Amino acid sequence: MIEKLKPKTQPVSKEQVWSAWKRVKQGGKGMGIDQVSISMIENNPRKYLYPLWNRLASGSYFPPAVKQVPIPKGEGKERMLGIPTILDRVAQEVIRAELEKIVEPLFHSSSFGYRPGKSAHDAVEQCAKNCWERWYVVDLDIKGFFENIDHGQMMAMLRKYTGQKHILLYSERWLNAPMTAQNGQQQTRDKGTPQGGVISPLFANIYLHEAFDRWMADTQPRIVFERYADDIVIHTRSIEQSNFILDKLKGRFKKYSLEVHPEKTRIVYCYRTARFFKENKNIPVSFDFLGFTFKPRLCEKSNGEKFWGFRPAISKKSEKRITGELRKMAIQRWMSYDIHGLANALAPKIRGWLYYYGKFRLSEMNRVFRLLNIRLARWARKKYKLRTYSKSYGWLKRIIRFYPNTFVHWQYGFTG
C-alpha cells in the first residue's frame, strides 16, 4: 500500500534523508520496538525511507517509543540506554546534521565530546598539559545528567539558537517521546533525553554549553577545564579556588535542574611529586577521566633523563572492563579456529584497545595482554589436548618466537 502524499510544509529533502540513512547504517545495528533491521531497510529502501521523508516533510512525523535497554556500568551497576528505532535514528540524524551546523561554531574550545574534529584523546592530552601547569583539579560529576535535562529549558535554548520551525518541532517531539520499559509498559517522560539517541549528544552539548561552558568563560575566564559530554575536569591553582568554583557551580547547576554528585565529585591534588608530599594527607592524588587514570608517574625524556610527571594511563576500571569482556568471550572454547583464524577474529578488538588505551603509556597495558596470552594458552591446551598448562604456555611461546606477528598485541611487544 502506497502512502498518500501529504503537503510538504517542512524544508526536509529526500537527499537529506538518504544522506542520514547512509550515516546511520554505519553505526549501531540494534533494533528498536518495531523490530525493523538495517538489512530490511537496505533490501527495500523505498518502502521505509520514502514514507519517512514524506512524514518529515509534511510535519506529520511522530517518533515511536524508545526501547529501554540496561547495560553494565561496572561494580555490578547498570545504566539505561534508550534505543530508538532505526528509522527514528535516520530522522534524528536529519535534524542533528542541520542543528549541528548552527551551534557547532558557538561551542567552547574545551568542549570535546561528540564534535567534528575533536576526540577523547584531545581532551586527555589537554588535561595532562593543564595538570602540569596547575596543581589542583575539581573532578566534577553531574548526578544523572542525561536523565535530568529540563525539557522547558532545553527548548528555550534551542529557540535562542534557531528559528527553524521543523528543528524546533521535531526536537520537542523527541524530548517527549515515551520510553518502553523492559516489562513492555510505556512510560511518559517530562525530563531527560535518552542516552542512545542520535540527537541526544548534541542536546547535551547545547545544554551544558549554556549551563557550564559559557558561564565559565564569562565569569571565570582564567580557570581552564576539559569537558567531554558530562565528564568535566576543572583545573585550579589552590584548594581555596577549588572550593570556591565548586560552591559556585552547585548554585549554577540548580538553576538548570542539575545536581553535583556529592560522593563522586572530588578535589584532587595533582602536583607531579604528590606521591611523596602533599599539604593535606586526606586529599586524593589521582583521578579518572575518559577511561584513563591521572597520577604521578616516573617519565623519561628522549635523552634518557628521568623525571616525575602527572600523566594518564589506562585505568583499573578500564582494565576490569576489558578482562570482563575477555571472560565473556570464552576464547578457550573457540575450537573451530586454528591459530591464524583466532588471531583474525580477535584482531578488531585488540586494535581497538590498543588504539584507544595505548595512546598514553602503552606499557601500562601489559596486565591486560598478559591475561589474553594466558587465555590463548588455555585455548591451545584444549585445542591440541596438551596435558598441562606449562606445556600449552610453552607451545604459545614457540609460536611467538617463530611467528611474532600473528596477534596484533604481539607486534607491540606484549609477548609475556
Side-chain angles (χ1 to χ4, degrees), residues 86-136:
I86 291 169
L87 288 171
D88 191 42
R89 278 177 246 170
V90 175
Q92 288 187 32
E93 176 59 25
V94 169
I95 301 302
R96 187 210 62 80
E98 270 198 78
L99 182 57
E100 183 181 72
K101 290 178 183 176
I102 297 168
V103 297
E104 172 60 29
L106 308 174
F107 286 158
H108 197 285
S109 60
S110 290
S111 168
F112 293 91
Y114 310 107
R115 294 184 61 191
K118 287 180 176 283
S119 70
H121 285 161
D122 295 331
V124 173
E125 190 65 71
Q126 180 175 300
C127 186
K129 178 178 179 292
N130 285 329
C131 283
W132 180 268
E133 296 172 353
R134 302 179 187 225
W135 293 3
Y136 289 86

Side-chain angles (χ1 to χ4, degrees), residues 216-231:
M216 287 288 288
D218 292 343
T219 67
Q220 312 294 329
R222 294 187 179 182
I223 294 182
V224 295
F225 66 89
E226 294 82 38
R227 182 174 69 78
Y228 194 97
D230 61 328
D231 288 330

Side-chain angles (χ1 to χ4, degrees), residues 315-331:
S315 69
K316 292 293 183 186
K317 283 184 181 178
S318 300
E319 282 186 7
K320 192 174 180 181
R321 183 185 61 77
I322 293 173
T323 54
E325 234 178 301
L326 287 172
R327 197 177 302 112
K328 285 181 182 177
M329 289 164 72
I331 297 164

Side-chain angles (χ1 to χ4, degrees), residues 18 25 91 158 165 170 173 188 252 301 341 384 389 395:
W18 184 250
K25 73 177 181 179
L158 290 173
K165 292 182 179 178
Y170 292 126
R173 288 179 184 175
T188 57
R252 175 70 179 173
K301 294 181 181 179
Y384 300 110
Y389 173 75
W395 176 90

Side-chain angles (χ1 to χ4, degrees), residues 36 73 104 114-115 127 166 246 368:
V36 173
K73 193 177 179 180
E104 172 60 29
Y114 310 107
R115 294 184 61 191
C127 186
H166 65 295
L246 185 53
V368 167

Side-chain angles (χ1 to χ4, degrees), residues 242-376:
S242 301
N243 283 316
F244 169 81
I245 195 66
L246 185 53
D247 187 57
K248 290 288 184 183
L249 281 169
K250 287 176 182 177
R252 175 70 179 173
F253 283 156
K254 276 185 182 178
K255 296 177 182 177
Y256 291 87
S257 304
L258 300 176
E259 181 186 353
V260 173
H261 200 297
E263 295 167 8
K264 294 182 180 179
T265 298
R266 307 181 307 156
I267 296 172
V268 179
Y269 184 51
C270 57
Y271 188 58
R272 51 192 174 275
T273 57
R275 174 174 176 155
F276 308 109
F277 168 78
K278 53 181 176 173
E279 60 185 49
N280 185 333
K281 296 297 179 185
N282 297 320
I283 192 169
V285 293
S286 68
F287 66 93
D288 287 0
F289 183 48
L290 301 178
F292 296 89
T293 294
F294 285 75
K295 69 177 186 179
R297 301 179 191 274
L298 192 61
C299 307
E300 187 174 337
K301 294 181 181 179
S302 56
N303 62 4
E305 182 184 345
K306 294 185 177 180
F307 65 98
W308 283 97
F310 199 90
R311 295 292 296 170
I314 184 172
S315 69
K316 292 293 183 186
K317 283 184 181 178
S318 300
E319 282 186 7
K320 192 174 180 181
R321 183 185 61 77
I322 293 173
T323 54
E325 234 178 301
L326 287 172
R327 197 177 302 112
K328 285 181 182 177
M329 289 164 72
I331 297 164
Q332 67 274 12
R333 297 177 187 166
W334 295 13
M335 293 297 100
S336 60
Y337 289 100
D338 62 12
I339 188 72
H340 299 291
L342 188 62
N344 289 333
L346 290 173
K349 280 278 187 190
I350 298 172
R351 284 196 190 99
W353 295 332
L354 283 165
Y355 168 77
Y356 188 75
Y357 296 107
K359 174 74 172 178
F360 304 96
R361 294 184 73 92
L362 176 64
S363 60
E364 295 289 332
M365 298 193 72
N366 187 60
R367 288 184 293 272
V368 167
F369 291 122
R370 190 173 188 284
L371 178 62
L372 175 55
N373 287 338
I374 289 170
R375 292 190 173 274
L376 292 176

